[in-house]
Amino acid sequence: MNLVQIYTQEDIEKRVNELATQIDYDYFSKENFVIVGVLKGSFIFMADLSRAIHLPHTIDFISIESYGMSGDAQGEVRLLLDTKQNIAGKNVLLVEDIVDSGNTIRYIMQILNTRGAKSIKVCTLLKREGADDGGVVNYCGFVVPLDKWLVGYGLDYKEEHRTLPNICYIKNLEE
Ligand code: IMP
Ligand code: MG
């Protein structure tokens, strides 16, 4: 198995700063701004994005477990870790590592909706080119190929490679 870099540390840093600038602009007049990271894949992106956003905000995390393969219509999800804060009345920005089918993020959005969030937007580091994610993404770092498994900058393959500073795809995954 070998790793092929698609985004350098510098590419990522530049894009994270661009996203933060856009988010600062869009949330300027909003109060009760909370950024909720979807664990574990978003932890490094969250750390950088939340520090690049200048507006006052609080931080929280949520974690869910997916059954079935990503993109599988049968794929079910279950809440593993809930936010610590009460989300009612908050302007929530959900932060994900990658959106594929959108199942994971839609499940989380439903939960936060029933809790009375004032608004919910989604910022993902990566999304799949041409994937039917239901249009849930508001902010996206990079659009990546459908058929590549990405690792690094928080993303894993069987819990490995999360701490790579850059983003790579795995070549010859089946071999
Ligand atoms: P979705 O629910 O189909 O949108 O899948 C999104 C979830 O699948 C993400 O939160 C990731 O945890 C995982 N995932 C999908 N593709 C990749 C990948 O290429 N690398 C690492 N994780 C991935
Ligand atoms: Mg994830």
Side-chain angles (χ1 to χ4, degrees), residues 124-144:
T124 186
L125 177 66
L126 309 174
K127 71 173 195 171
R128 301 251 185 225
E129 192 172 16
D132 181 15
D133 60 21
V136 289
V137 174
N138 301 98
Y139 305 95
C140 173
F142 303 99
V143 179
V144 297

Side-chain angles (χ1 to χ4, degrees), residues 53-94:
I53 291 173
H54 293 111
L55 291 176
H57 61 274
T58 57
I59 292 295
D60 219 313
F61 290 97
I62 197 162
S63 178
I64 63 116
E65 184 176 57
S66 311
Y67 297 104
M69 296 298 290
S70 179
D72 186 340
Q74 305 285 312
E76 280 179 32
V77 277
R78 176 172 78 96
L79 188 63
L80 282 185
L81 171 83
D82 207 344
T83 61
K84 192 164 181 187
Q85 296 176 47
N86 181 0
I87 290 303
K90 304 278 169 72
N91 290 300
V92 179
L93 182 65
L94 277 171

Side-chain angles (χ1 to χ4, degrees), residues 2 22 34 56 74 82 141 163 166 169:
N2 47 55
Q22 185 65 48
V34 55
Q74 305 285 312
D82 207 344
T163 55
N166 54 354
Y169 70 84

Side-chain angles (χ1 to χ4, degrees), residues 38-42 96-98 104 156 162:
V38 182
L39 291 175
K40 293 188 260 187
S42 73
E96 251 289 32
D97 53 353
I98 178 165
T104 306
D156 74 307
R162 279 197 203 276

Side-chain angles (χ1 to χ4, degrees), residues 104-120:
T104 306
I105 207 75
R106 266 194 302 276
Y107 178 81
I108 294 169
M109 289 173 83
Q110 272 171 23
I111 294 174
L112 301 184
N113 255 321
T114 61
R115 307 251 170 91
K118 187 172 182 191
S119 71
I120 305 172

